[in-house]
């Protein structure tokens, strides 16, 4: 899987660090999505393990009752990351400029990415890094809805249907030898479009694409 140059383009091609220079202490999905994600983490993550929350913010949506050996945070806004009480440590890095993570090989039991995969311009490189830092048997959970900063999402994502976006993330995993066949979880909203548009709870569709390092 190789994206074409035009598929990587963003409508706003200025430095991502400028866009994220100011903190946004909001959640970008509704409570229904967050609850489903937390439940998924509760089901798939194991306590006392090492977690990387990639492209994180001021919240990680991890189950409150679960304790981990280490939660590493990554993002583009240091003020948001500093507010995240679940992080033991964090670093700021623009993955579209430098996709290489400053983390050791086979050091994490899980890599999480919540509602941010649509902004990655070089997913082939990023998913290779996810594979590299995962321990054998480690899990990667990529979750997303239909919301985005439209001007910062890549063209391949903007122009795709929701079903095509799922296939896109599956292709990202498939592009790296050694990941298991991706598993997909889909919970579409049953609310009328008007209520979804108004932001009613339960209006956001929930998508998760999951794979393990073999």
């Amino acid at each position: 899987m190789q994206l074409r140059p035009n598929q990587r383009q963003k409508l706003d091609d200025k430095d991502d660090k400028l866009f994220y220079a100011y903190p946004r202490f909001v959640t970008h999905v509704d409570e229904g999505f967050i609850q489903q994600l937390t439940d998924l983490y509760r089901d798939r993550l194991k306590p006392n393990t090492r977690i990387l929350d990639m492209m994180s913010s001021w919240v990680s949506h991890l189950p409150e009752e679960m304790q981990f050996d280490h939660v590493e945070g990554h993002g583009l806004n240091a003020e948001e990351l500093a507010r995240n009480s679940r992080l033991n440590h964090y670093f700021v890095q623009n993955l579209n400029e430098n996709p290489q993570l400053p983390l050791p090989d086979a050091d994490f039991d899980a890599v999480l990415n919540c509602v941010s995969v649509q902004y990655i311009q070089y997913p082939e490189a990023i998913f290779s890094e996810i594979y590299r830092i995962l321990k054998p048997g480690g899990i990667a959970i990529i979750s997303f809805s239909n919301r985005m900063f439209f001007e910062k999402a890549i063209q391949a994502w903007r122009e795709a249907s929701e079903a095509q976006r799922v296939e896109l993330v599956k292709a990202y995993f498939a592009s790296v030898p050694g990941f298991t066949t991706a598993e997909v979880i889909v919970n579409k909203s049953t609310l009328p479009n008007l209520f979804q548009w108004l932001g009613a709870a339960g209006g956001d569709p929930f998508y998760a694409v999951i794979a393990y390092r073999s």
Side-chain angles (χ1 to χ4, degrees):
M1 195 281 304
Q2 187 78 23
L3 292 180
R4 298 186 301 275
N6 64 297
Q7 291 181 298
R8 305 181 196 274
Q9 292 177 353
K10 302 184 178 189
L11 296 176
D12 177 1
D13 61 0
K14 296 189 292 294
D15 191 332
D16 291 337
K17 287 180 288 189
L18 298 175
F19 186 80
Y20 295 101
Y22 296 97
R24 296 176 174 89
F25 294 115
V26 297
T27 53
H28 301 287
V29 281
D30 68 17
E31 288 300 320
F33 181 102
I34 292 170
Q35 186 60 58
Q36 291 180 80
L37 182 61
T38 300
D39 288 343
L40 177 61
Y41 288 165
R42 182 178 290 112
D43 182 55
R44 298 301 181 96
L45 302 180
K46 296 178 181 179
N48 306 316
T49 53
R50 293 177 58 81
I51 310 292
L52 170 64
D53 190 7
M54 175 186 284
M55 304 177 78
S56 184
S57 66
W58 67 288
V59 286
S60 291
H61 310 305
L62 295 166
E64 291 183 5
E65 77 280 4
M66 291 186 73
Q67 298 301 316
F68 302 97
D69 280 347
H70 183 88
V71 180
E72 184 77 18
H74 156 264
L76 272 176
N77 186 279
E79 194 173 344
E80 287 186 24
L81 296 171
R83 181 81 69 89
N84 190 330
S85 62
R86 295 309 301 264
L87 303 181
N88 300 109
H89 182 264
Y90 64 84
F91 64 98
V92 174
Q93 181 174 322
N94 183 352
L95 298 181
N96 290 328
E97 287 185 351
N98 176 17
Q100 186 169 1
L101 298 171
L103 301 168
D105 294 355
D107 195 45
F108 288 88
D109 299 280
V111 175
L112 315 175
N113 184 299
C114 173
V115 296
S116 296
V117 67
Q118 59 267 31
Y119 308 121
I120 296 174
Q121 291 179 285
Y122 301 96
E124 308 93 333
I126 297 301
F127 277 69
S128 292
E129 282 292 280
I130 292 173
Y131 179 85
R132 179 184 66 79
I133 68 171
L134 277 175
K135 298 176 183 179
I139 187 174
I141 302 175
I142 311 297
S143 59
F144 52 94
S145 188
N146 57 359
R147 299 199 203 185
M148 70 188 90
F149 294 121
F150 195 78
E151 67 272 34
K152 280 298 184 181
I154 64 170
Q155 184 189 85
W157 193 274
R158 295 194 312 270
E159 296 183 353
S161 67
E162 292 181 28
Q164 289 170 332
R165 292 167 184 167
V166 170
E167 294 303 314
L168 196 59
V169 179
K170 287 171 62 179
Y172 293 167
F173 277 120
S175 71
V176 182
F179 274 120
T180 60
T181 300
E183 172 191 356
V184 176
I185 298 173
V186 177
N187 288 315
K188 294 185 179 180
S189 174
T190 57
L191 288 181
N193 289 338
L194 174 62
F195 290 98
Q196 293 183 40
W197 182 79
L198 291 173
D204 287 349
F206 178 85
Y207 297 96
V209 183
I210 303 165
Y212 295 82
R213 174 170 170 162
S214 299

